[in-house]
Amino acid sequence: MSKIKSLEDLRRLRVEQERNEITRQNTGVQVIVGMGTCGIAAGARDAMLTILEEINKRNLKVNITQTGCIGMCQHEPLIDVIIPGEDRITYGLVTKDIARKIVAEHIVNNNIVKEAVIGRIEKQ
Amino acid sequence: MQDISQIILDLVQNSIAADSTKVQIEIKKDILRNLLIITINDNGKGMSQEITKGCTDPFYTTRTTRSVGLGLAFTKMLSEQSGGFFNIDSQENQGTRLNFSFLLNHWDRPPFGKLEDTYISLLILNPNVEFNISISTDEKSFTLKSQDVYENIGESHVSEAWVIEWLREYLRENFYHLLKEEDKS
């Protein structure tokens, strides 16, 4: 068994982190994850953590929030991406692969991942 | 629901929907009594007696838009199917306490799953809610308060890579050290 870390390690890490402070690019993007019973059962947690991982890899600042069941349980996990000034896109059946694609294609390059789109709300 | 970590995530979502600011999750592995006992305590708005009685019926819901609401009914079914019990206690404006169990060695007991991912998801999605988790066996226990995490990382930053990586490692080692199970994935 490897040694168990402690909370002090976390503080040490923070000091280290502050030393090589990286400024994050603020993109103003919002990602909304459906976290109802249906979403969780379909794997919303993994989709959410995958997106977060990809965002962190690229040092982006994205706001991740949650919502409940919106009544499209058969399409869960559902993820909405809102980029300021663009249409709001709802993705359905988001697997880990699609989650990675959403970050790389949609959030970074602004190309919508067409095969996974199930809804689109026109920008106001 | 495939595993206990997802069941907990689902039930804590109820607490969040009930405006809780503090949620306490306890997992107790009672080897002597062959039980796995899970308690979820919140300080949300609670439910009236009538709702408390009805809420584990799969056809009951407080929602007005659609008539579904399966989380509690599902958990009750699973725990009773696995030789355990299911209790729900609620006081209006005080909070709700869920207490359910599984027989440890029962065929139908779900595996633990990724408890660390459940905790991390809760922290990231609900920065204003305090989540305390504790896991105990007959001899040892482990507790983590979200307050302690915040104090050590300074302001916000929970969703940053170094925090998540550390948390995952920290929780995984402590959880599985106590729960010791085949599903270490």
Side-chain angles (χ1 to χ4, degrees):
Chain A
M1 199 186 69
S2 51
K3 85 173 173 50
I4 291 171
K5 299 173 173 182
S6 65
L7 279 163
E8 273 81 70
D9 286 351
L10 190 57
R11 198 175 306 141
R12 221 167 295 141
L13 253 174
R14 173 191 168 190
V15 176
E16 241 168 70
Q17 206 68 28
E18 276 167 358
R19 213 172 296 143
N20 43 25
E21 185 80 50
I22 330 147
T23 38
R24 299 186 137 216
Q25 285 174 279
N26 199 338
T27 50
V29 175
Q30 205 181 347
V31 173
I32 304 170
V33 188
M35 279 288 201
T37 303
C38 44
I40 293 167
R45 188 188 61 190
D46 287 349
M48 192 278 272
L49 288 171
T50 308
I51 286 188
L52 195 70
E53 202 177 285
E54 292 293 309
I55 285 167
N56 280 330
K57 249 187 232 165
R58 294 174 170 77
N59 245 315
L60 305 168
K61 207 170 171 195
V62 171
N63 191 11
I64 299 187
T65 48
Q66 66 175 352
T67 183
C69 172
I70 59 165
M72 289 199 284
C73 308
Q74 73 275 29
H75 294 299
E76 293 279 4
L78 288 165
I79 282 174
D80 276 29
V81 176
I82 306 171
I83 298 180
E86 302 285 332
D87 293 351
R88 170 177 177 161
I89 304 293
T90 303
Y91 291 106
L93 299 172
V94 179
T95 57
K96 283 186 180 178
D97 280 343
I98 294 175
R100 283 190 203 102
K101 255 190 185 165
I102 290 173
V103 177
E105 297 284 321
H106 191 167
I107 295 176
V108 176
N109 294 323
N110 216 346
N111 294 324
I112 293 162
V113 187
K114 286 202 185 75
E115 69 265 30
V117 174
I118 57 156
R120 176 193 280 256
I121 298 169
E122 300 275 321
K123 62 185 168 204
Q124 267 100 31
Chain B
M1 293 298 156
Q2 291 157 348
D3 52 49
I4 289 175
S5 72
Q6 290 188 322
I7 293 172
I8 292 175
L9 180 57
D10 183 28
L11 297 174
V12 175
Q13 290 292 336
N14 290 341
S15 304
I16 293 160
D19 307 327
S20 304
T21 53
K22 194 174 174 183
V23 182
Q24 170 87 29
I25 305 160
E26 274 168 52
I27 301 171
K28 193 164 188 286
K29 188 177 176 184
D30 191 333
I31 298 163
L32 286 176
R33 285 161 66 206
N34 188 25
L35 277 179
L36 181 74
I37 306 165
I38 299 169
T39 313
I40 299 172
N41 245 322
D42 70 45
N43 63 351
K45 60 186 173 195
M47 298 180 287
S48 68
Q49 262 191 335
E50 189 198 345
I51 297 177
T52 312
K53 224 184 274 168
C55 65
T56 51
D57 173 355
F59 300 105
Y60 185 88
T61 183
T62 53
R63 158 199 316 243
T64 50
T65 45
R66 293 179 294 287
S67 49
V68 277
L70 281 175
L72 285 166
F74 191 79
T75 310
K76 182 170 194 266
M77 184 195 83
L78 254 182
S79 57
E80 284 173 357
Q81 198 176 19
S82 318
F85 56 80
F86 182 93
N87 285 319
I88 181 163
D89 246 327
S90 193
Q91 295 281 319
E92 263 181 291
N93 303 318
Q94 306 239 324
T96 303
R97 181 189 152 90
L98 274 176
N99 185 232
F100 58 97
S101 72
F102 304 93
L103 278 187
L104 258 180
N105 64 357
H106 198 283
W107 289 107
D108 288 334
R109 176 179 69 80
F112 292 110
K114 293 179 182 166
L115 281 169
E116 68 277 13
D117 282 2
T118 288
Y119 191 77
I120 294 169
S121 306
L122 287 170
L123 275 192
I124 290 164
L125 292 171
N126 309 283
N128 302 321
V129 185
E130 199 178 312
F131 295 104
N132 302 336
I133 189 163
S134 79
I135 296 193
S136 57
T137 65
D138 300 331
E139 300 141 7
K140 292 177 196 145
S141 72
F142 164 77
T143 309
L144 181 65
K145 296 181 173 169
S146 55
Q147 211 58 41
D148 291 343
V149 176
Y150 287 124
E151 268 167 29
N152 283 291
I153 57 170
E155 279 169 40
S156 59
H157 305 315
V158 223
S159 61
E160 285 181 26
W162 60 278
V163 181
I164 293 167
E165 205 176 300
W166 182 87
L167 260 177
R168 186 173 279 151
E169 194 76 356
Y170 180 63
L171 293 171
R172 193 176 283 169
E173 286 194 12
N174 283 293
F175 286 171
Y176 297 110
H177 169 62
L178 289 170
L179 297 171
K180 270 200 196 107
E181 217 178 299
E182 60 293 339
D183 54 280
K184 269 194 166 183
S185 61

